[in-house]
Amino acid sequence: MIRSAPRLPRWLAGTLLLPLAACGGGASSEPEPERNAVAAAPTSTPVASPSPAPAKTGGRSEPVSILSCSADRGDAAARKLVKICTSVSPATHPPCNAVNSCAMIEDEIARSCALMGDDAAGTPGCEVDPKSDAAAADVVRRYYAAIDAHDYSTAWIQWGQDGRPGQRFADFQKGFSHTRATSVTIGRMAPSEGAAGSVYATVPVMVDAQLDNGRQQRFVGQYVVRRVNDVPGASADELRWHIDSATLKPAAG
């Protein structure tokens, strides 16, 4: 895993799952595996050399490495993703590397396509319009892909460059110490809406999680994803979709 410095830059490696406890207002609410035995939601903050997610082994947590893209999808698929990443990324940093999680590489591709703006049209890897609702849904997919790969830094930054508001990265990562695996299913989205210089998209989700004790959990709810609506002077990060809030609850039955 190779990333920026202490401030956890955007392309840092990591993942986040937040507790699904009572949701309120702007911050996302999701169950915290440790306390509520439930899967958590996203947050993201890059760090230079992020610490590995605690693995679940026989009742006690031990360090576990971030799942590399090669190990996750196979060498051929990872090489293809890296090739796209290096062709669009203007940076010389490490995200475009098969030893990183696929979520991190895909996040760098999305960031690079957003930086290109209208020039991204027709560019391999930039088929999804960075301003579209599909791109908003991809943020949530990347969030859970990062968590599943134990790449909590990449998950953390899906909340924005500074991660999830009101939470420290260390606490965000700790919330997943008993989560073995997660997956998300995206539901049908309503059209995004604008308000006060921003655009908001609501992403309905069903989240499945497995704890280290083998217990299966399912949550339903939604993520609200936001981006600045082409306001003059807005930074590239502000113009990108990021998670604004989350509301999840255990699925009935």
Side-chain angles (χ1 to χ4, degrees):
M1 197 69 241
I2 341 173
R3 276 296 186 187
S4 206
R7 184 173 178 262
L8 298 180
R10 73 157 314 293
W11 43 274
L12 179 88
T15 60
L16 339 153
L17 236 63
L18 310 176
L20 287 145
C23 297
S28 95
S29 60
E30 310 168 71
E32 179 175 51
E34 339 227 349
R35 300 179 186 171
N36 309 321
V38 262
T43 328
S44 127
T45 302
V47 277
S49 212
S51 33
K56 303 81 184 179
T57 318
R60 62 192 180 87
S61 296
E62 297 182 354
V64 73
S65 301
I66 290 172
L67 180 65
S68 72
C69 195
S70 292
D72 186 12
R73 300 185 190 176
D75 290 337
R79 282 196 301 269
K80 182 177 180 180
L81 197 59
V82 167
K83 184 176 180 180
I84 292 173
C85 185
T86 53
S87 70
V88 298
S89 175
T92 56
H93 48 63
C96 303
N97 191 315
V99 302
N100 292 325
S101 71
C102 295
M104 179 190 288
I105 300 171
E106 290 172 335
D107 189 60
E108 177 61 15
I109 292 172
R111 183 188 78 90
S112 301
C113 292
L115 284 173
M116 285 189 269
D118 294 337
D119 294 334
T123 301
C126 300
E127 292 82 4
V128 176
D129 181 351
K131 298 179 182 180
S132 68
D133 291 348
D138 282 345
V139 171
V140 178
R141 289 193 183 93
R142 276 198 304 275
Y143 177 72
Y144 280 101
I147 292 171
D148 196 51
H150 307 295
D151 181 1
Y152 303 111
S153 299
T154 294
W156 175 255
I157 56 174
Q158 303 311 306
W159 286 89
Q161 196 59 22
D162 297 321
R164 189 183 185 189
Q167 185 177 39
R168 298 184 309 160
F169 175 70
D171 294 332
F172 172 81
Q173 177 170 317
K174 184 180 179 182
F176 299 106
S177 63
H178 291 294
T179 303
R180 175 178 298 168
T182 63
S183 64
V184 62
T185 300
I186 305 294
R188 183 182 296 277
M189 294 173 60
S192 55
E193 300 179 343
S198 293
V199 180
Y200 295 85
T202 299
V203 185
V205 299
M206 179 173 68
V207 179
D208 288 295
Q210 181 182 33
L211 303 185
D212 56 10
N213 62 4
R215 180 180 175 186
Q216 302 288 333
Q217 296 180 326
R218 172 167 289 180
F219 302 93
V220 294
Q222 65 184 34
Y223 280 85
V224 174
V225 184
R226 180 176 71 88
R227 68 175 178 83
V228 170
N229 190 18
D230 301 332
V231 174
S235 68
D237 283 323
E238 290 172 330
L239 294 170
R240 287 190 67 196
W241 289 107
H242 63 272
I243 296 169
D244 188 68
S245 66
T247 306
L248 300 177
K249 63 181 181 180

